Amino acid sequence: MELSPLTEAFVMHFGEMGSRWGINRTVGQIYALLYISGRPLPADEIAQSLNFSRSNVSMGLKELQSWQLVRLQHLPGNRREHFTTPDDVWQIVRTLAEQRRAREVDPTLSVLRDLLVAQPRSEEDRQAQEKLREMHDLIELLVGWADDVSKLETKELVQLLKLGSKVVGLLELKSRLPLLGRGTRGAAPVEDHEQD
Amino acid sequence: MELSPLTEAFVMHFGEMGSRWGINRTVGQIYALLYISGRPLPADEIAQSLNFSRSNVSMGLKELQSWQLVRLQHLPGNRREHFTTPDDVWQIVRTLAEQRRAREVDPTLSVLRDLLVAQPRSEEDRQAQEKLREMHDLIELLVGWADDVSKLETKELVQLLKLGSKVVGLLELKSRLPLLGRGTRGAAPVEDHEQD
DNA sequence: ATGTCCTTTCAGAATTTTCTGAAAGAACAA
DNA sequence: TTGTTCTTTCAGAAAATTCTGAAAGGACAT
């Protein structure tokens, strides 16, 4: 139940970071411990390792399960419930993105849309709506990108990330090779369509 | 000093969201108000509009300035200090990314690196280091991508985001046109270099 | 049924964070 | 200098969150 200094250092740092991202410290630590352990752990062991009460661990695990970041596992011949993180880091990133999207981004887009269709009651409101429109469009663009690249296989996604800004160069090339087709996601063509 | 219902709805939602991202609710509201107002506001007016104590506003603005999200402005012929957000939404995204990077991502990478060079004291530690390595490499890849695309002009960045996963198709094309050159960022070639 | 071993729930304690009012500081005018 | 108008700081009040122990719930064996 004693953590090695290595594990402890990681767990502590992760807890600290978690608390800066709206995740409570102990939940972050539980997650970090599960991640670094790389094997299913029973709640009791987590409680002992981290010096939390059993009930706190139970709450933390419930929270993590609701985020789909941890899943329950029954080991054969063992009555105790064990918990694990998916072992692929990329899966973790995907889940995190999905969940944040569903919990925070989508509701925000929804609020923004509601406010954008409301009748402005003053010149002030009209200007405010312009700002909201900008924010709405930006978020929608980011979300669209995320949606689109999340469909890629991890290997392709890695390639895309490694390519980085080089894409822009390729884009120019593309415009000279019409055979590739022009259509892109939804109604938004890739080619410039705004004044320069 | 009365907020229009439109502004109020936005400010309240933004405050709520802020608190889920590790930003305190009132700081989020102050920021939202400055953003949607689109003009420099004095601290007093913020305090009155949001019903916060003057000192709370002072603290909030200090925090926002430390994040570089808000700047102080002196209006000519007015002794009172006024505050504004940059008016370009993309600038906001860039600043947010930079700051999160400096405050959370870089320190995390540093911890991970320290733990990775430490001598493992057990088989358990060795396996833990493998997990840390995966996480380290993933973060470094994401950070590298962000670094790279942040150099783009906003217009180009928008193009790149609209393109989304289409990039992968272009990539294949690229591999058939060697004249474009092969080098990419740093020592990491884009082409596959792992077994399939 | 009862006992064992595990689980979650939840009221309230403990802790942390946030917010305020009072005081002090700064800049300027007269 | 003093007065005015603005500012920030900070100790402690207020509020929110987190954590715990006790109790209750559930699954299974005997």
Side-chain angles (χ1 to χ4, degrees), chain B residues 140-184:
Chain B
E140 202 156 64
L141 181 59
L142 293 176
V143 158
W145 179 83
D147 259 6
D148 197 38
V149 303
S150 72
K151 287 177 203 135
L152 295 173
E153 296 289 323
T154 295
K155 199 156 198 185
E156 295 172 310
L157 179 52
V158 169
Q159 278 196 332
L160 181 147
L161 291 171
K162 283 187 180 162
L163 194 59
S165 64
K166 289 273 175 341
V167 176
V168 173
L170 290 181
L171 227 132
E172 247 181 70
L173 166 72
K174 181 186 173 231
S175 68
R176 290 198 209 94
L177 291 169
L179 49 134
L180 257 171
R182 338 178 64 238
T184 59

Side-chain angles (χ1 to χ4, degrees), chain A residues 154-165:
Chain A
T154 294
K155 199 157 199 185
E156 295 172 309
L157 179 53
V158 169
Q159 278 195 332
L160 180 148
L161 291 171
K162 282 187 181 163
L163 194 59
S165 64

Side-chain angles (χ1 to χ4, degrees), chain A residues 24-27 51-53 55-56 59 79:
Chain A
N24 122 19
R25 195 188 329 282
T26 60
V27 173
N51 264 290
F52 298 159
S53 71
S55 57
N56 194 6
M59 306 278 251
R79 200 156 134 196

Side-chain angles (χ1 to χ4, degrees), chain B residues 43-44 54-55 58-59 62 79-81:
Chain B
D44 270 333
R54 180 63 183 73
S55 56
S58 187
M59 306 278 251
K62 191 178 161 193
R79 199 156 136 196
R80 224 171 252 181
E81 290 175 332

Side-chain angles (χ1 to χ4, degrees), chain B residues 31-158:
Chain B
Y31 187 75
L33 180 61
L34 285 171
Y35 174 75
I36 203 174
S37 296
R39 65 182 170 91
L41 299 180
D44 270 333
E45 188 175 333
I46 298 171
Q48 282 195 272
S49 299
L50 300 177
N51 263 291
F52 298 159
S53 71
R54 180 63 183 73
S55 56
N56 194 7
V57 172
S58 187
M59 306 278 251
L61 287 169
K62 191 178 161 193
E63 168 92 356
L64 287 168
Q65 282 175 283
S66 86
W67 280 83
Q68 317 248 63
L69 285 170
V70 156
R71 46 173 221 290
L72 180 64
Q73 213 169 31
H74 279 285
L75 296 195
N78 193 329
R79 199 156 136 196
R80 224 171 252 181
E81 290 175 332
H82 287 61
F83 299 86
T84 36
T85 58
D87 41 66
D88 173 16
V89 267
W90 284 96
Q91 188 48 54
I92 295 170
V93 171
R94 286 171 196 266
T95 302
L96 226 40
E98 260 172 44
Q99 293 284 324
R100 285 282 193 187
R101 162 100 193 258
R103 290 165 186 238
E104 286 128 26
V105 181
D106 286 347
T108 296
L109 279 176
S110 158
V111 166
L112 290 175
R113 278 195 267 260
D114 285 353
L115 296 176
L116 282 170
V117 299
Q119 205 48 241
R121 304 182 156 279
S122 61
E123 169 60 15
E124 199 191 273
D125 272 4
R126 232 209 67 262
Q127 290 184 338
Q129 281 183 323
E130 276 175 34
K131 306 288 288 183
L132 296 183
R133 166 65 62 192
E134 279 185 74
M135 180 176 284
H136 172 273
D137 290 353
L138 181 148
I139 295 174
E140 202 156 64
L141 181 59
L142 293 176
V143 158
W145 179 83
D147 259 6
D148 197 38
V149 303
S150 72
K151 287 177 203 135
L152 295 173
E153 296 289 323
T154 295
K155 199 156 198 185
E156 295 172 310
L157 179 52
V158 169

Side-chain angles (χ1 to χ4, degrees), chain A residues 35-173:
Chain A
Y35 174 75
I36 202 174
S37 295
R39 67 183 169 91
L41 298 181
D44 270 334
E45 190 175 332
I46 298 172
Q48 283 195 273
S49 299
L50 300 177
N51 264 290
F52 298 159
S53 71
R54 181 63 182 73
S55 57
N56 194 6
V57 172
S58 187
M59 306 278 251
L61 287 169
K62 190 180 161 191
E63 167 92 357
L64 287 167
Q65 282 174 284
S66 85
W67 279 84
Q68 317 248 63
L69 284 170
V70 156
R71 46 174 222 291
L72 180 64
Q73 210 168 34
H74 279 284
L75 296 196
N78 193 329
R79 200 156 134 196
R80 222 171 253 180
E81 290 175 332
H82 286 62
F83 298 87
T84 37
T85 58
D87 41 66
D88 174 16
V89 266
W90 285 97
Q91 188 48 55
I92 296 170
V93 171
R94 287 172 197 265
T95 302
L96 226 41
E98 260 172 44
Q99 293 283 325
R100 285 283 194 187
R101 162 100 193 260
R103 290 165 186 240
E104 286 128 27
V105 181
D106 286 347
T108 295
L109 279 178
S110 159
V111 166
L112 290 176
R113 278 195 268 260
D114 285 353
L115 296 176
L116 282 170
V117 299
Q119 205 47 241
R121 305 183 154 278
S122 61
E123 168 59 15
E124 200 189 273
D125 273 3
R126 230 209 67 261
Q127 289 185 339
Q129 281 183 323
E130 274 176 35
K131 305 288 288 183
L132 296 183
R133 165 67 61 193
E134 279 185 74
M135 181 176 285
H136 172 273
D137 290 353
L138 181 148
I139 295 175
E140 202 157 62
L141 180 58
L142 293 176
V143 158
W145 179 84
D147 260 7
D148 196 38
V149 303
S150 73
K151 288 178 203 135
L152 294 173
E153 296 289 324
T154 294
K155 199 157 199 185
E156 295 172 309
L157 179 53
V158 169
Q159 278 195 332
L160 180 148
L161 291 171
K162 282 187 181 163
L163 194 59
S165 64
K166 288 274 176 337
V167 177
V168 174
L170 291 180
L171 226 133
E172 249 183 69
L173 167 71

